[in-house]
C-alpha cells in the first residue's frame, strides 16, 4: 500500500517532468541499491514497508532534524553541531549498511510527505535536511565524497589526470591559497578537481578561488562541497513543490494521513530532546520539601524562577508553565508538585489556589485537558531552544533576556564570582551564544567534579556533551555533585547481588 | 592650457589652419572647446566603449555576403553618397560640407555634427549589432537609448523599432551624444503604462568596461586631468591587453569590441549572448575577478593580493613587465624627485633597506626611476638589512609593478546590467574625435590623437576623387574617408556576431523540437 503511495506521487511527477528527467520517467521496481551513504534522494523508494516502520523511521529522522535545528538556533559551530549529532546518527558496521541506507532513504521521503504542505514547513524541512546533508558530506572521507559526487551526474566534468598535469602550476596556485598556503605538496596532488561553467560559481570566481579557462571554472574538491550542497538544496526545494502538488492524492489513504499530520505538528514544536519518564534519578529525594536544596543544581533559568517565586510568592503564567514542566522533568510527582505550588503561593487562600492554579499544574502533567493532552502527558519540559524563544520575564533564558548587570548579579547570587568566567559569559552573550555561556557556568561550578569524573572514568566525554536542555543540566549537576554517594550505591548493589547468587 | 598643444597638433593641416582663423580670436580654440559644460557631458559619455578588433579574428573563411544576411530589409538611405540626391535635400538642405562656408568649425558645431550623423554614422551596422538579426526584434526595439541634448537636458528611455527611426530622431534632436542601455522586458516608452514594476525590468546588455586615464593621474607624469598624449595612452594599451586576455582566455568570451572613448580612455563591449544575459551577480563576479588595484589617490597601498598569485595575476604580470620597464620607468619616470621617490619607499617592506636607499638617493638628486628600481635589488644584496625577508621584498616589487601597470577599472560600469554607455561612433563633443573601435591586433599602433575628427572627415568627403573602378559601384560617403577602416572593422564584427547568433538560434529550435515541449 505504501509502495503505491509513492508510486502515485511518482506518476504525478512524471507528468510534469518526464521529458526532461528520464530517471523519473523510468521508475525501476527492482530493489534499490545504496552504493553511498549520501543520497540526493532523486528516486522515490518502491519497496514495501510496514506501517510501523513508516512511523518509526519518520520519527527517528525527525528527532535528528529537530536536534540539528536546535543546534543552529543556538549558534553552534559546525564542529560543535557535528559532535552533538554524531551519537544520534547510525554509525555502523558494514552488515547494517543496507538497512541504514534504506531507512535513510525511506524516512526522507516520508518526511517530504509530512512537510510539503505549507511553504513554511517546506522551507524549514529543506533547511534542516540540507544541514544534515552538509554534516554527512563533511564527515565523508575524500574518496567516498568523490565517488558520491561523481555518481550524481551533475554536469560537472572531472578534470582528467592528463589535464591536471598540464595545468599543474595553475591549479597548485589556486589550491594552495584555498588552504591558506599551508597545504602540503602531497595534499595538493591528492586534491580532486572538477570543471563547471563559471556562471555556476560566481562567488568563487569573484574572489579568485578557482582557476578559469575558456569559461570553465576548475573547482578544487574542497570548494566542490559547497557546490554539492547548493545543488542538493535547490533540487530538494524543487522536489518539495512537486510533492506539494501531489499531496491531495494522498488523502485517499486514511491510515497515513494522521501519522503525517502528527509528524508535521511535532516538527512545529520540536520537543524530542529530553525523555519524559525516565528522567528520575535513582536515590534522589525529589520532593516539594527538598526543592530549596535541589535548586543548587538548577540552571540559571530555573534558579531564577525559583528565586522569583520565593521572593514574590507568585509567578506569572509563562513562568508557571515553564517551571512546572521543568519540575515534572526532574521527576517531581504531580502530588508533590501541587504541594510545592500551594506552599509557594503562600499569600492566597486554598480556594483561590484551587480555582486559579491547580488546574494548570494538573494540565501540565496530562492529568486533565482532554484526550490529546493526556496522551501527550501534558507536554514536555522546555528545551533551551523553547526557553530562549519565550517572551522575556522572570521566565525565559537569563543569558539571553537579562542585561549583563542583572545576569552578573544572578550568577553571583549563585556563587559564580570568578572574573574570568563572568568575562567569558559576557563575551558569549555578546556573540549571542547563550547556551555556551550556560555551559561555561556549568563547567565552572562543577570543574572539580568534572575532572574527577573524567579522570576516574565515571563519565565518558560523550556523556558530557554540551547541555542543550535545562533538565539535562539538572540531571548532570546532581549526578556530578553526588558522585561519591552514587558509587557507593552501585557497589552496594553489586555486592548485594552477589549475596543473592550465593544464597541460591 | 599647457596641454592644449596635444590636441591641436594632432589634426589635419586644414584643421590647424582653421584653428588659427577661429572667429573667437582665441588662439587656443581647440582647448576652448572644453568648456565646463562639455566636460560634464563627457564625464557621462565616456562610459561607453566597444571593441572591434575582434571582428576579424572571429570571421573565419570568406566573408559571407551581406545581402544574404539582410534579405527582406528594405534599403534605406542610411549610407548616403554624394552627390546628395534631391530626395535627401528635402530632408533638410545643408551644404555638403559646412567647412566650405567658412562658419565656425568647432567639433560641436551643429552643422558639422548633422553632416556626420547624416552621411557617415554607420546606422545599419549599429542596428544589426544591437539587434542580432537583420529583421527588427525586441533586442533592438526594447533597447533603451538616452540622449544628451545640446542644452544638457538628458532624455532617458528612448526606444526605436528600426535604425531609421533612431537616425531620424538623432537628426531632429541633434544630441551632443547618445548612450546605449539595456534591453528591457517591455518597450521603454511604455514603462509608465505597465501596472507592476516587475513587468518592466532590464533583461540583457553587453558586459561593459570603462578605463579612463584620469584614474591614472597619481602615476602619470606627462599629463593630467582631461589631457592625454601617446605616452600615457600606453596605460590604456596595457589595460586592454590584460582585460582582453582575461575575458577571452578565462571567461571564454569571443565578441569583444574595444572602443576609443573620444578623449582619454577606452570602453569594452562584450557582446556574446552569454555575456548579455548575465545578471548583476555574475557581472559583479567578473568585475571582482578583474579588480586588483583598489582605492583612490589618497589611500596607501593599492594592491593587496594573496600568494601564490592567481594564474590570472601571474599572466597579467608577465604581460605587464616590459610595459613597466619601458612605458613606466623609462617614459613616465615616476620617482625622479626625492619627493616622488618617497612614494616608492613607502611601498617597500624593510625599514633598514628603505633607510639605505633613501640615503643613496639623497646623495644623487635626480637619479632616474630606472636606476632607482635597480638599486632596490643591488642594495638588498649588499646586506643593508640583516633580517631582510627576500620573499616579502619580491612580493612588494610585484605589487608595485601591478600598482603602476594593472588596469584601473571603473567597475561600477561593469557591475550593473542597467548601466548606460556612450554609443560607438558618436563624436566626442569636446575633441571632435569619433569613438572608433580599436583594433587589438595592432593595439600598439593605435594613436588616440590620430583618430579622425568630424571636421577632417567632412573635408575628406569633399576632397574625394572618383576613380575609374569606383564608377562601377556605388561608393558610400564613409568609404571616401579615413573612417573607412573603422566601419569595416565594425561591420566584420557585427556580421560574425550575427552569424554566430543565428547558428545558436537554429540549434536551439532544433533541440526544442526534439524535446517536444518547453521547460516548465
Ligand atoms: Zn600624457
Amino acid at each position: 500500500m505504501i509502495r503505491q503511495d509513492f508510486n502515485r506521487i511518482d506518476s504525478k511527477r512524471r507528468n510534469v517532468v518526464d521529458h526532461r528527467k528520464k530517471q523519473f520517467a523510468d521508475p525501476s521496481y527492482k530493489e534499490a541499491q545504496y552504493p553511498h551513504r549520501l543520497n540526493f534522494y532523486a528516486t522515490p523508494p518502491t519497496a514495501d514497508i510496514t506501517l510501523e516502520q513508516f512511523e518509526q523511521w519518520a520519527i527517528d529522522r525527525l528527532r535528528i532534524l529537530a536536534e540539528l535545528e536546535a543546534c543552529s538556533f543556538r549558534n553552534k559551530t559546525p564542529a560543535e553541531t557535528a559532535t552533538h549529532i554524531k551519537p544520534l546518527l547510525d554509525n555502523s558496521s558494514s552488515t547494517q549498511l543496507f538497512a541504514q541506507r534504506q531507512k535513510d532513504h525511506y524516512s526522507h521521503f516520508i518526511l517530504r510527505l509530512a512537510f510539503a504542505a505549507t511553504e513554511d514547513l517546506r522551507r524549514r524541512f529543506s533547511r534542516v535536511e540540507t544541514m544534515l546533508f552538509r554534516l554527512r558530506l563533511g564527515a565523508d572521507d575524500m574518496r567516498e565524497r568523490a565517488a558520491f559526487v561523481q555518481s550524481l551526474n551533475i554536469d560537472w566534468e572531472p578534470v582528467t589526470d592528463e589535464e591536471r598535469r598540464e595545468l599543474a602550476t595553475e591549479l597548485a596556485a589556486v589550491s594552495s591559497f584555498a588552504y591558506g598556503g599551508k597545504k602540503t605538496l602531497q595534499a595538493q596532488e591528492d586534491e580532486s578537481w572538477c570543471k563547471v561553467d563559471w556562471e555556476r560559481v560566481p562567488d568563487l570566481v569573484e574572489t579568485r578561488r578557482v582557476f578559469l579557462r575558456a569559461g570553465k571554472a576548475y573547482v578544487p574538491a574542497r570548494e566542490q562541497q559547497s557546490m554539492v550542497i547548493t545543488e542538493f538544496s535547490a533540487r530538494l526545494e524543487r522536489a518539495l513543490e512537486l510533492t506539494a502538488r501531489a499531496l491531495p492524492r494522498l488523502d485517499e489513504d486514511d491510515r497515513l494521513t494522521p501519522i503525517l499530520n502528527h509528524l508535521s505538528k511535532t516538527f512545529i514544536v520540536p520537543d524530542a530532546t529530553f525523555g519524559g519518564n525516565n528522567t528520575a534519578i535513582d536515590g534522589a529525594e525529589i520532593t516539594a520539601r527538598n526543592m530549596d536544596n535541589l535548586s543548587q543544581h538548577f540552571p540559571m533559568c530555573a534558579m531564577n524562577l525559583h528565586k522569583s517565586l520565593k521572593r514574590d510568592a507568585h509567578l506569572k503564567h509563562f513562568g508557571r508553565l515553564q517551571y512546572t514542566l521543568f519540575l515534572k522533568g526532574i521527576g517531581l510527582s504531580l502530588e508533590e508538585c501541587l504541594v510545592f505550588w500551594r506552599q509557594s503561593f503562600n499569600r492566597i487562600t486554598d480556594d483561590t489556589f484551587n480555582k486559579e492554579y491547580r488546574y494548570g499544574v494538573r494540565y501540565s502533567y496530562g492529568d486533565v485537558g482532554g484526550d490529546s493532552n493526556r496522551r501527550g502527558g501534558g507536554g514536555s519540559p522546555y528545551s533551551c531552544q523553547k526557553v530562549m524563544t519565550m517572551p522575556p520575564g522572570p521566565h525565559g533564558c537569563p543569558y539571553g533576556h537579562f542585561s549583563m548587570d542583572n545576569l552578573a548579579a544572578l550568577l553571583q547570587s549563585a556563587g559564580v564570582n570568578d572574573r574570568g568566567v563572568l568575562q567569558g559569559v559576557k563575551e558569549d552573550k555578546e556573540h549571542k551564544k547563550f547556551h555556551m555561556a550556560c555551559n561555561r557556568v556549568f563547567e565552572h561550578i562543577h570543574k572539580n567534579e568534572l575532572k574527577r569524573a573524567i579522570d576516574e572514568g565515571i563519565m565518558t566525554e560523550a556523556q558530557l556533551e554540551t547541555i542543550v536542555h535545562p533538565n539535562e543540566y539538572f540531571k548532570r549537576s546532581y549526578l556530578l555533585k553526588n558522585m561519591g554517594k552514587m558509587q557507593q550505591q552501585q557497589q552496594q548493589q553489586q555486592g548485594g547481588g552477589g549475596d543473592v547468587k550465593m544464597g541460591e | 592650457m599647457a596641454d592644449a598643444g596635444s590636441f591641436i597638433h594632432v589634426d589635419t593641416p586644414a584643421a590647424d589652419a582653421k584653428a588659427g582663423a577661429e572667429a573667437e580670436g582665441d588662439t587656443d580654440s581647440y582647448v576652448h572647446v572644453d568648456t565646463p559644460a562639455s566636460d560634464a557631458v563627457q564625464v557621462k559619455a565616456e562610459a561607453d566603449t566597444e571593441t572591434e578588433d575582434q571582428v576579424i579574428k572571429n570571421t573565419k573563411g570568406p566573408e559571407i555576403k551581406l545581402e544574404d544576411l539582410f534579405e527582406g530589409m528594405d534599403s534605406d538611405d542610411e549610407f548616403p553618397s554624394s552627390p546628395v540626391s534631391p530626395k535627401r535635400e528635402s530632408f533638410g538642405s545643408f551644404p555638403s560640407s559646412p567647412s566650405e562656408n567658412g562658419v565656425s568649425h568647432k567639433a560641436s558645431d551643429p552643422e558639422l555634427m548633422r553632416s556626420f550623423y547624416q552621411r557617415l554614422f554607420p546606422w545599419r551596422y549599429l542596428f544589426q549589432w544591437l539587434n542580432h538579426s537583420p529583421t527588427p526584434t525586441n533586442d533592438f526595439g526594447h533597447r533603451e537609448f538616452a540622449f544628451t541634448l545640446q542644452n544638457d537636458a538628458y532624455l532617458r528611455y528612448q526606444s526605436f523599432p528600426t535604425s531609421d527611426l533612431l537616425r531620424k530622431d538623432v537628426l531632429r534632436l541633434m544630441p551632443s551624444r547618445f548612450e546605449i542601455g539595456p534591453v528591457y522586458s517591455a518597450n521603454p516608452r511604455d514603462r509608465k503604462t505597465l501596472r507592476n514594476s516587475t513587468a518592466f525590468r532590464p533583461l540583457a546588455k553587453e558586459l561593459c568596461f570603462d578605463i579612463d586615464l584620469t584614474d591614472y593621474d597619481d602615476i602619470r607624469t606627462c599629463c593630467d586631468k582631461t589631457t592625454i598624449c601617446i605616452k600615457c595612452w600606453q596605460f590604456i594599451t596595457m589595460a586592454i591587453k590584460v582585460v582582453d586576455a582575461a575575458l577571452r582566455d578565462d571567461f571564454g568570451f569571443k565578441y569583444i569590441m574595444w572602443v576609443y572613448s573620444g578623449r582619454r580612455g577606452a570602453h569594452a563591449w562584450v557582446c556574446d549572448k552569454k555575456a548579455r544575459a548575465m545578471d548583476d551577480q555574475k557581472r559583479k563576479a567578473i568585475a571582482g575577478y578583474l579588480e586588483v588595484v583598489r582605492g583612490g589617490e589618497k589611500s596607501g597601498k593599492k594592491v593587496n593580493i594573496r600568494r601564490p598569485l592567481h594564474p590570472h595575476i601571474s599572466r597579467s604580470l608577465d604581460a605587464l613587465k616590459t610595459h613597466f620597464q619601458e612605458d613606466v620607468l623609462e617614459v613616465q619616470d615616476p620617482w625622479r624627485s626625492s619627493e616622488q621617490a618617497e612614494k616608492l619607499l613607502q611601498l617597500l617592506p624593510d625599514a633598514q633597506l628603505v633607510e639605505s636607499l633613501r640615503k643613496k638617493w639623497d646623495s644623487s638628486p635626480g637619479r632616474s626611476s630606472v636606476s632607482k628600481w635597480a638599486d632596490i635589488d643591488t642594495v638588498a644584496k649588499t646586506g643593508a638589512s640583516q633580517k631582510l625577508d627576500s620573499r616579502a621584498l619580491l612580493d612588494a616589487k610585484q605589487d608595485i609593478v601591478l600598482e603602476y601597470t594593472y588596469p584601473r577599472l571603473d567597475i561600477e560600469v561593469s557591475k550593473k546590467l542597467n548601466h548606460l554607455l556612450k554609443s560607438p561612433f558618436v563624436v566626442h563633443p569636446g575633441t571632435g574625435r569619433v569613438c572608433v573601435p580599436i583594433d587589438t591586433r595592432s593595439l600598439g599602433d593605435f594613436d588616440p590623437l590620430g583618430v579622425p575628427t568630424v571636421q577632417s572627415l567632412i573635408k575628406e568627403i569633399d576632397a574625394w576623387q572618383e576613380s575609374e573602378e569606383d564608377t562601377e559601384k556605388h561608393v558610400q560617403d564613409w568609404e571616401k574617408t579615413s573612417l573607412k577602416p573603422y566601419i569595416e572593422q565594425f561591420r566584420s564584427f557585427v556580421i560574425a556576431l550575427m552569424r554566430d547568433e543565428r547558428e545558436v538560434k537554429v540549434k536551439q529550435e532544433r533541440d526544442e523540437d526534439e524535446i517536444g515541449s518547453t521547460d516548465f
Side-chain angles (χ1 to χ4, degrees), chain B residues 100-112:
Chain B
E100 284 170 6
N101 295 350
V103 293
S104 154
H105 299 115
K106 288 198 305 183
S108 55
D109 181 326
E111 311 245 310
L112 266 179

PDB file of all heavy atoms in Angstrom, chain B residues 100-112:
ATOM      1  N   GLU B 100      33.124  74.564 -45.972  1.00  0.00           N
ATOM      2  CA  GLU B 100      33.307  75.421 -47.145  1.00  0.00           C
ATOM      3  C   GLU B 100      32.678  76.779 -46.973  1.00  0.00           C
ATOM      4  O   GLU B 100      33.013  77.735 -47.640  1.00  0.00           O
ATOM      5  CB  GLU B 100      32.698  74.739 -48.375  1.00  0.00           C
ATOM      6  CG  GLU B 100      33.591  73.630 -48.884  1.00  0.00           C
ATOM      7  CD  GLU B 100      32.889  72.806 -49.939  1.00  0.00           C
ATOM      8  OE1 GLU B 100      31.775  73.185 -50.338  1.00  0.00           O
ATOM      9  OE2 GLU B 100      33.465  71.794 -50.332  1.00  0.00           O
ATOM     10  N   ASN B 101      31.725  76.874 -46.095  1.00  0.00           N
ATOM     11  CA  ASN B 101      31.048  78.146 -45.917  1.00  0.00           C
ATOM     12  C   ASN B 101      31.765  79.068 -44.945  1.00  0.00           C
ATOM     13  O   ASN B 101      31.288  80.144 -44.659  1.00  0.00           O
ATOM     14  CB  ASN B 101      29.625  77.920 -45.412  1.00  0.00           C
ATOM     15  CG  ASN B 101      28.807  77.193 -46.454  1.00  0.00           C
ATOM     16  OD1 ASN B 101      29.267  77.044 -47.591  1.00  0.00           O
ATOM     17  ND2 ASN B 101      27.646  76.733 -46.069  1.00  0.00           N
ATOM     18  N   GLY B 102      32.884  78.615 -44.440  1.00  0.00           N
ATOM     19  CA  GLY B 102      33.659  79.467 -43.569  1.00  0.00           C
ATOM     20  C   GLY B 102      33.029  79.714 -42.225  1.00  0.00           C
ATOM     21  O   GLY B 102      33.408  80.631 -41.518  1.00  0.00           O
ATOM     22  N   VAL B 103      32.047  78.856 -41.820  1.00  0.00           N
ATOM     23  CA  VAL B 103      31.475  79.030 -40.490  1.00  0.00           C
ATOM     24  C   VAL B 103      32.407  78.401 -39.456  1.00  0.00           C
ATOM     25  O   VAL B 103      33.404  77.781 -39.800  1.00  0.00           O
ATOM     26  CB  VAL B 103      30.081  78.387 -40.393  1.00  0.00           C
ATOM     27  CG1 VAL B 103      29.106  79.132 -41.268  1.00  0.00           C
ATOM     28  CG2 VAL B 103      30.163  76.923 -40.730  1.00  0.00           C
ATOM     29  N   SER B 104      32.052  78.563 -38.234  1.00  0.00           N
ATOM     30  CA  SER B 104      32.862  78.000 -37.156  1.00  0.00           C
ATOM     31  C   SER B 104      32.996  76.496 -37.320  1.00  0.00           C
ATOM     32  O   SER B 104      32.065  75.805 -37.717  1.00  0.00           O
ATOM     33  CB  SER B 104      32.188  78.315 -35.817  1.00  0.00           C
ATOM     34  OG  SER B 104      32.559  77.339 -34.878  1.00  0.00           O
ATOM     35  N   HIS B 105      34.157  75.982 -36.985  1.00  0.00           N
ATOM     36  CA  HIS B 105      34.348  74.550 -37.123  1.00  0.00           C
ATOM     37  C   HIS B 105      34.650  73.859 -35.823  1.00  0.00           C
ATOM     38  O   HIS B 105      35.398  72.900 -35.773  1.00  0.00           O
ATOM     39  CB  HIS B 105      35.456  74.283 -38.157  1.00  0.00           C
ATOM     40  CG  HIS B 105      35.072  74.824 -39.473  1.00  0.00           C
ATOM     41  ND1 HIS B 105      35.745  75.854 -40.069  1.00  0.00           N
ATOM     42  CD2 HIS B 105      34.029  74.526 -40.281  1.00  0.00           C
ATOM     43  CE1 HIS B 105      35.152  76.150 -41.212  1.00  0.00           C
ATOM     44  NE2 HIS B 105      34.119  75.367 -41.361  1.00  0.00           N
ATOM     45  N   LYS B 106      34.078  74.361 -34.791  1.00  0.00           N
ATOM     46  CA  LYS B 106      34.178  73.639 -33.538  1.00  0.00           C
ATOM     47  C   LYS B 106      33.588  72.248 -33.728  1.00  0.00           C
ATOM     48  O   LYS B 106      32.685  72.050 -34.522  1.00  0.00           O
ATOM     49  CB  LYS B 106      33.361  74.354 -32.449  1.00  0.00           C
ATOM     50  CG  LYS B 106      33.980  75.627 -31.975  1.00  0.00           C
ATOM     51  CD  LYS B 106      33.395  76.035 -30.651  1.00  0.00           C
ATOM     52  CE  LYS B 106      31.888  76.146 -30.707  1.00  0.00           C
ATOM     53  NZ  LYS B 106      31.342  76.609 -29.428  1.00  0.00           N
ATOM     54  N   ALA B 107      34.110  71.326 -32.951  1.00  0.00           N
ATOM     55  CA  ALA B 107      33.612  69.965 -33.069  1.00  0.00           C
ATOM     56  C   ALA B 107      32.123  69.903 -32.804  1.00  0.00           C
ATOM     57  O   ALA B 107      31.400  69.113 -33.398  1.00  0.00           O
ATOM     58  CB  ALA B 107      34.345  69.062 -32.085  1.00  0.00           C
ATOM     59  N   SER B 108      31.674  70.759 -31.889  1.00  0.00           N
ATOM     60  CA  SER B 108      30.270  70.681 -31.526  1.00  0.00           C
ATOM     61  C   SER B 108      29.392  71.495 -32.471  1.00  0.00           C
ATOM     62  O   SER B 108      28.201  71.651 -32.230  1.00  0.00           O
ATOM     63  CB  SER B 108      30.086  71.156 -30.089  1.00  0.00           C
ATOM     64  OG  SER B 108      30.641  72.444 -29.958  1.00  0.00           O
ATOM     65  N   ASP B 109      29.990  72.015 -33.504  1.00  0.00           N
ATOM     66  CA  ASP B 109      29.222  72.758 -34.497  1.00  0.00           C
ATOM     67  C   ASP B 109      28.049  71.904 -34.955  1.00  0.00           C
ATOM     68  O   ASP B 109      28.234  70.821 -35.498  1.00  0.00           O
ATOM     69  CB  ASP B 109      30.156  73.077 -35.674  1.00  0.00           C
ATOM     70  CG  ASP B 109      29.451  73.870 -36.742  1.00  0.00           C
ATOM     71  OD1 ASP B 109      28.234  73.637 -36.922  1.00  0.00           O
ATOM     72  OD2 ASP B 109      30.109  74.688 -37.389  1.00  0.00           O
ATOM     73  N   PRO B 110      26.833  72.370 -34.758  1.00  0.00           N
ATOM     74  CA  PRO B 110      25.678  71.523 -35.068  1.00  0.00           C
ATOM     75  C   PRO B 110      25.622  71.108 -36.539  1.00  0.00           C
ATOM     76  O   PRO B 110      25.192  70.021 -36.860  1.00  0.00           O
ATOM     77  CB  PRO B 110      24.474  72.385 -34.695  1.00  0.00           C
ATOM     78  CG  PRO B 110      24.996  73.692 -34.263  1.00  0.00           C
ATOM     79  CD  PRO B 110      26.488  73.645 -34.172  1.00  0.00           C
ATOM     80  N   GLU B 111      26.104  71.969 -37.406  1.00  0.00           N
ATOM     81  CA  GLU B 111      26.026  71.633 -38.832  1.00  0.00           C
ATOM     82  C   GLU B 111      26.990  70.503 -39.167  1.00  0.00           C
ATOM     83  O   GLU B 111      26.668  69.585 -39.903  1.00  0.00           O
ATOM     84  CB  GLU B 111      26.373  72.860 -39.675  1.00  0.00           C
ATOM     85  CG  GLU B 111      25.608  74.087 -39.244  1.00  0.00           C
ATOM     86  CD  GLU B 111      24.654  74.555 -40.319  1.00  0.00           C
ATOM     87  OE1 GLU B 111      25.118  74.679 -41.461  1.00  0.00           O
ATOM     88  OE2 GLU B 111      23.458  74.756 -40.011  1.00  0.00           O
ATOM     89  N   LEU B 112      28.187  70.590 -38.587  1.00  0.00           N
ATOM     90  CA  LEU B 112      29.157  69.517 -38.790  1.00  0.00           C
ATOM     91  C   LEU B 112      28.614  68.209 -38.247  1.00  0.00           C
ATOM     92  O   LEU B 112      28.682  67.171 -38.887  1.00  0.00           O
ATOM     93  CB  LEU B 112      30.439  69.838 -38.014  1.00  0.00           C
ATOM     94  CG  LEU B 112      31.571  70.550 -38.735  1.00  0.00           C
ATOM     95  CD1 LEU B 112      32.713  70.771 -37.753  1.00  0.00           C
ATOM     96  CD2 LEU B 112      32.054  69.715 -39.902  1.00  0.00           C
TER      97      LEU B 112
END
